[in-house]
Amino acid sequence: MADNLFGDYIRQRRQDAWLTRTELAKKANLSVSLIEKIELGTRQPTLHALQILFDTLDVAPMYRRHILDLSLPGLLGPPPPTTTPEPKADDLAALSGIETPACFYTLPTFTIVAANSAHQQMFPGLRPGASFPEWLFLNPAARDVIVDWRQEARRCLHSIRQLSPNAATDTRISALVTICGQAPEWDELWNSKPMRNTGAGLAIRDPVSRRTRHFRVGIYSPEYPQRAWWLCQLIPAGTET
């Protein structure tokens, strides 16, 4: 892993946001010199500077721990497990007890570890071991199920870019890009301007009823004890149409 992984990450996020160092410094109320030193790896940012940079560059709060564990290991204490063990029986029981679609997944490729029956019904073909981006771009069912497919695809790709301190050298991301690059929209969306984290919902066309259902996406990181995976739950928002 590169010695200056965090500096490279901040530089990449700044460039993805189409900002010069001077423009970022002005938006973040930090000096140009400090941003330059952070990007070059000659100065480690304080926690306060980290917060300001993440906020200004619109890095989703739920991704920040993952990024710091990779690029500044030890800064926030011991990182979560690096391997992905099978969820324990209690974890699976809790997952199956959720009435709305829910799954366990790993970062940065959004690979499904386990899913409840509602999730399997809502997303045909998105089974444990498959990644959500690969399903989204290559499985025809995705374009039928996701009402605003293009917006969700764009949001998904920019989430992946946020999660990768160095997308060019991350073998997991490189493999995903190679596979999903078969989709005709991939290059355009991968290189498009980032969307802001607005907390927008997700509209799903139910494969069975064919009615459109609206959800909020809840993302949770199990902390005690830490797991290698996250919980994603779709929370109903509004009525069916």
Side-chain angles (χ1 to χ4, degrees):
M1 187 173 291
D3 293 336
N4 187 34
L5 199 55
F6 182 76
D8 291 342
Y9 178 77
I10 291 298
R11 175 182 52 78
Q12 186 61 60
R13 292 300 304 149
R14 173 178 62 77
Q15 293 175 345
D16 284 350
W18 298 4
L19 295 172
T20 64
R21 285 176 179 164
T22 300
E23 290 169 335
L24 175 58
K26 183 175 181 180
K27 288 172 66 71
N29 197 26
L30 298 172
S31 70
V32 177
S33 175
L34 175 60
I35 292 174
E36 180 179 16
K37 290 176 181 177
I38 290 173
E39 289 189 359
L40 294 175
T42 59
R43 181 169 175 179
Q44 182 168 309
T46 64
L47 289 176
H48 179 64
L50 278 174
Q51 177 78 31
I52 292 174
L53 286 171
F54 280 156
D55 287 347
T56 305
L57 293 171
D58 201 35
V59 177
M62 60 186 173
Y63 300 151
R64 298 179 187 186
R65 174 69 191 247
H66 169 83
I67 294 162
L68 292 175
D69 283 339
L70 287 177
S71 59
L72 296 174
L75 181 67
L76 299 179
T82 55
T83 58
T84 309
E86 291 292 325
K88 295 182 179 180
D90 288 347
D91 293 321
L92 294 174
L95 181 64
S96 64
I98 299 174
E99 295 183 357
T100 59
C103 70
F104 298 146
Y105 70 94
T106 57
L107 301 176
T109 56
F110 297 92
T111 297
I112 306 299
V113 176
N116 65 7
S117 58
H119 189 279
Q120 294 178 48
Q121 177 177 298
M122 188 68 72
F123 301 100
L126 186 55
R127 300 182 178 87
S131 75
F132 179 75
E134 186 175 346
W135 176 85
L136 185 66
F137 277 87
L138 302 180
N139 192 317
R143 298 171 189 258
D144 178 58
V145 168
I146 306 295
V147 174
D148 193 341
W149 179 89
R150 189 177 184 84
Q151 175 174 290
E152 185 58 29
R154 184 180 172 199
R155 181 185 295 120
C156 176
L157 290 195
H158 286 295
S159 291
I160 293 173
R161 291 179 71 94
Q162 279 195 35
L163 284 164
S164 306
N166 193 332
T169 60
D170 190 319
T171 56
R172 297 165 298 177
I173 298 298
S174 296
L176 185 66
V177 169
T178 299
I179 294 171
C180 295
Q182 303 171 51
E185 304 90 347
W186 177 271
D187 287 340
E188 176 196 348
L189 295 177
W190 179 260
N191 295 301
S192 63
K193 191 171 183 179
M195 299 173 65
R196 292 197 62 82
N197 295 308
T198 59
L202 179 65
I204 300 291
R205 184 176 294 107
D206 191 299
V208 177
S209 70
R210 307 304 297 169
R211 296 176 67 88
T212 297
R213 302 176 63 186
H214 299 270
F215 296 94
R216 290 186 296 107
V217 181
I219 305 294
Y220 310 97
S221 174
E223 294 292 343
Y224 303 107
Q226 284 187 309
R227 275 80 157 181
W229 37 261
W230 292 58
L231 167 67
C232 175
Q233 178 183 358
L234 298 188
I235 304 166
T239 58
E240 294 186 11
T241 56

